[in-house]
Amino acid sequence: MKYITLGVSQVPAIGLGTYKLQGAVAIDVIRKAIAIGYRHIDTAQLYENEKEVGEAIQTSGVPRDEIFLTTKIWPSNLHEDRFMRSLEESLRKLRTDHVDLLLIHWPHQQLLIEDYMPRLMMAQQAGLAKEIGVSNFNISQLKTALKTGAGVVTNQVEFHPWINQTKLHGWMQEHQLPLTAYCPLGQGRFMTDQKLIEIAAIYLRSPAQIILRWLMQKENILAIPKSVNTHRLIENINVFDFDLSAEEMQMIDAWRLENQRVVGTQAGARWD
Ligand code: NDP
């Protein structure tokens, strides 16, 4: 496993995504993932599975402090009177007294970044979040967030070979801000891409492993693929025993020109 420094934490570069995992399946998949070796788990208030994540971790047999746990505050909870209450509820469901990383899930459409970033800092100062960060922020929003003095350690955004994140990624690199790639597998949409299948055949690896290897060979990138299948969970974390050539890396880099976004710019969600 490769580790990325986020603040004072050393974080496994591959974590487990949990979007759309709920109920008994979620508990089973998360427990299996931990048994396989996952030590970084990503959830969010939106996913309505914090309870399952908490139960799976607590009954996994692995101590809580060996798992890097992320959750995200949904925009409607960024209001002053809701922020802390919602975080406390998340912690209760997650059966823990702190998360390792607390993110703003999406920038709010009306509230100012300058207004809600201090709430994230307060949560950190109170020991409820070891690290803090943002998600779905563009460069200008990141600049505003950093100006508030918040110790943002990552920006979690959609990133895979078919999306053009050159500007954002370049800016984050310049500012030594690690990028967490969500939908690293493009939600499975590109697995039949012929160019990808050809590279996978060279290494006798799956298409998913080639994508994750491409991400891992870049600097300061974390990825949080999700799967309900045990063999895919194993596959997705086993990408550290082969290297793509510089030519292959460049070839995959070029696919970004197709620029296909899997998640809508505001996730189609409404909030107030
Ligand atoms: P992913 O890119 O992780 O793709 C998941 C899909 O790929 C599933 O359909 C899965 O199918 C399939 N898959 C997984 N592994 C393999 C494999 N080895 N071979 C073939 N297919 C595979 O999509 P997600 O949307 O789940 O994104 C990952 C995580 O990122 C989320 O779970 C969530 O935690 C986070 N996220 C954050 C967002 C944000 O706004 N901050 C937005 C969206 C996601 P199956 O399960 O059947 O194996």
Side-chain angles (χ1 to χ4, degrees):
M1 177 57 70
K2 175 180 177 182
Y3 290 82
I4 304 287
T5 305
L6 296 187
V8 297
S9 308
Q10 289 299 308
V11 185
I14 293 195
L16 177 72
T18 66
Y19 183 41
K20 293 194 177 151
L21 281 178
Q22 286 180 331
V25 173
I27 297 170
D28 183 49
V29 166
I30 296 162
R31 272 211 211 115
K32 275 192 185 133
I34 294 172
I36 288 165
Y38 285 78
R39 293 292 181 270
H40 168 186
I41 298 174
D42 180 86
T43 182
Q45 293 175 341
L46 175 77
Y47 306 164
E48 294 185 342
N49 64 8
E50 289 174 314
K51 197 165 165 284
E52 290 91 324
V53 172
E55 181 174 339
I57 292 175
Q58 198 179 55
T59 58
S60 69
V62 171
R64 164 71 188 90
D65 63 5
E66 288 180 20
I67 292 173
F68 189 87
L69 176 61
T70 303
T71 197
K72 316 183 194 84
I73 305 277
W74 189 245
S76 57
N77 288 329
L78 291 175
H79 295 270
E80 191 176 10
D81 58 335
R82 296 187 207 156
F83 191 102
M84 273 301 170
R85 249 190 308 141
S86 88
L87 175 56
E88 280 159 9
E89 191 186 330
S90 288
L91 294 177
R92 218 174 12 257
K93 289 179 179 164
L94 289 165
R95 303 189 187 186
T96 185
D97 59 3
H98 74 283
V99 283
D100 299 286
L101 177 61
L102 183 65
L103 302 178
I104 304 290
H105 202 146
W106 283 86
H108 200 281
Q109 289 165 326
Q110 286 93 34
L111 295 180
L112 295 177
I113 291 171
E114 297 88 326
D115 287 341
Y116 55 78
M117 287 310 286
R119 291 172 202 143
L120 201 58
M121 288 190 256
M122 271 172 58
Q124 186 177 32
Q125 279 152 16
L128 306 181
K130 194 165 166 195
E131 311 291 350
I132 55 173
V134 296
S135 177
N136 298 300
F137 273 41
N138 61 28
I139 295 174
S140 137
Q141 290 160 336
L142 273 178
K143 284 183 185 164
T144 308
L146 291 174
K147 265 196 209 137
T148 65
V152 170
V153 297
T154 192
N155 182 23
Q156 185 183 117
V157 294
E158 181 172 339
F159 193 45
H160 48 67
W162 294 270
I163 189 168
N164 195 346
Q165 292 284 29
T166 315
K167 270 196 199 154
L168 178 68
H169 183 212
W171 190 90
M172 289 177 64
Q173 280 288 86
E174 273 170 38
H175 292 79
Q176 278 129 33
L177 191 56
L179 184 154
T180 305
Y182 77 61
C183 301
L185 302 176
Q187 292 188 336
R189 278 193 211 171
F190 310 105
M191 295 302 160
T192 54
D193 185 303
Q194 204 49 42
K195 310 185 288 301
L196 176 63
I197 289 174
E198 280 168 23
I199 299 178
I202 299 171
Y203 291 93
L204 301 176
R205 299 288 172 147
S206 74
Q209 286 177 307
I210 299 299
I211 298 173
L212 292 168
R213 182 65 214 169
W214 171 80
L215 285 165
M216 292 300 108
Q217 275 182 228
K218 293 181 172 290
E219 268 176 57
N220 267 336
I221 300 264
L222 302 98
I224 46 171
K226 165 258 168 192
S227 179
V228 293
N229 292 297
T230 307
H231 75 277
R232 287 176 170 176
L233 289 171
I234 295 171
E235 225 178 78
N236 294 350
I237 209 169
N238 281 298
V239 296
F240 297 98
D241 56 353
F242 70 106
D243 290 301
L244 296 171
S245 69
E247 293 74 27
E248 285 158 348
M249 288 295 289
Q250 280 165 18
M251 197 190 301
I252 300 174
D253 282 343
W255 302 349
R256 66 173 179 258
L257 298 177
E258 295 179 25
N259 206 15
Q260 297 188 51
R261 196 176 273 276
V262 170
V263 172
T265 44
Q266 271 152 12
R270 292 169 56 91
W271 56 76
D272 51 21

